[in-house]
Each structure stands twice: as structure tokens, then as C-alpha cells.
Amino acid sequence: MRRFIATVLAATLLGLSACAASPVVVMPTDEDAQILMTLNERLTRSMIVDRDPGVVTALAAENLRVLAPGGLIEGKQAVIAGVDNWDAADVSLSGTEVVFHRNVAIVSGRLDIDGTMRPVGRWGPLKYLSTWVKDEDGWRLLSRSLTPCLDKLIEAGRC
């Protein structure tokens, strides 16, 4: 009997310690899709048109990774520094879609920029895919990738 009680106690303690070590999963609510669309628009506009690094500084995870057109992977500090390279009058997002898996969301769509970025010049249209993670403090941008649309895909209405 003592062996049985000891086994049950050990299993309970093991289960409790595993739960304590597990990350907190905050499930999205119905309003999270709208929140993410708003954050995505605000983030894009602040970086490209307003050239204000404040929003990306506040919303991006410290280990943010951006896959920029051309294959360059940048961290948070490089992304913040790159805000100064934009000269754009406007930006528009279209075809935005939000999908969830537990506390992770992927926001994707098309990005059209009326302007240029040094040293590349004019970009666009682009497709973007952003990964957001929800924790106790809200949604944080974890990664973003941007890729130019091919002319043939634009002609076919697929980009």
C-alpha cells in the first residue's frame, strides 16, 4: 500500500512540475482577428509612411526575424534602423487573411507601396506573411517575410 501511495504521489508531483514548466497558452478570442488586422496596418504604416520606429519597437518580440526581399534576414535592431530608409507617400494592404493555431496567428496579404526604399528603389507589389504570438501582454510580432510578386502572377490575378 505504501508503494502504491508513493507511486501516486510521485506521478502527481511529476505532473505538476511538468505543468509549471509548460508555456502559458492564451487562446485567441473572436476579436483577435480584428485586433491583428489593425496592428498589422498600424505597424506597416508607421514603418513605411511615418518612418516611426516606435510601433515596431513596442510590438516586435526581441528575437524578431524578418526575411526581406532578396533573401536578407534581419533582426529587430536592423528592422528598426531600416525605417529611416523609406520615402513613401502611402501604403495599402489588401487580401488580408488571419489564421490561428492556439496562441499563434499568421497574418498574410498583399502590400502596395507608393514610394521607394534606399538603396533598392521601388518595391511592389509584395506579398507578406507575419507570425504573431499572443502572451499575457498581448500580441507580439515574431517574424515577417516579404516577397515581390512576379509579373506573370500579377497578370493572372494571383498576386
Side-chain angles (χ1 to χ4, degrees), residues 42-43 46-47 50-60 76 80 83:
R42 185 173 155 222
L43 177 72
S46 72
M47 291 177 66
D50 302 335
R51 296 171 51 176
D52 175 8
V55 176
V56 70
T57 300
L59 291 178
K76 184 174 181 176
I80 291 168
V83 167

Side-chain angles (χ1 to χ4, degrees), residues 70-86:
L72 181 64
I73 296 178
E74 299 178 326
K76 184 174 181 176
Q77 294 310 312
V79 171
I80 291 168
V83 167
D84 286 335
N85 294 330
W86 284 105

Side-chain angles (χ1 to χ4, degrees), residues 27-42:
M27 298 301 288
T29 64
D30 291 340
E31 68 183 294
D32 281 312
Q34 186 57 49
I35 290 169
L36 284 163
M37 291 175 72
T38 301
L39 288 174
N40 190 55
E41 173 83 27
R42 185 173 155 222

Side-chain angles (χ1 to χ4, degrees), residues 11 31 34 40 48 52 93 110 119 127 146 159:
E31 68 183 294
Q34 186 57 49
N40 190 55
I48 296 173
D52 175 8
L93 301 172
R110 178 175 160 155
K127 284 288 187 144
L146 303 157
C159 191

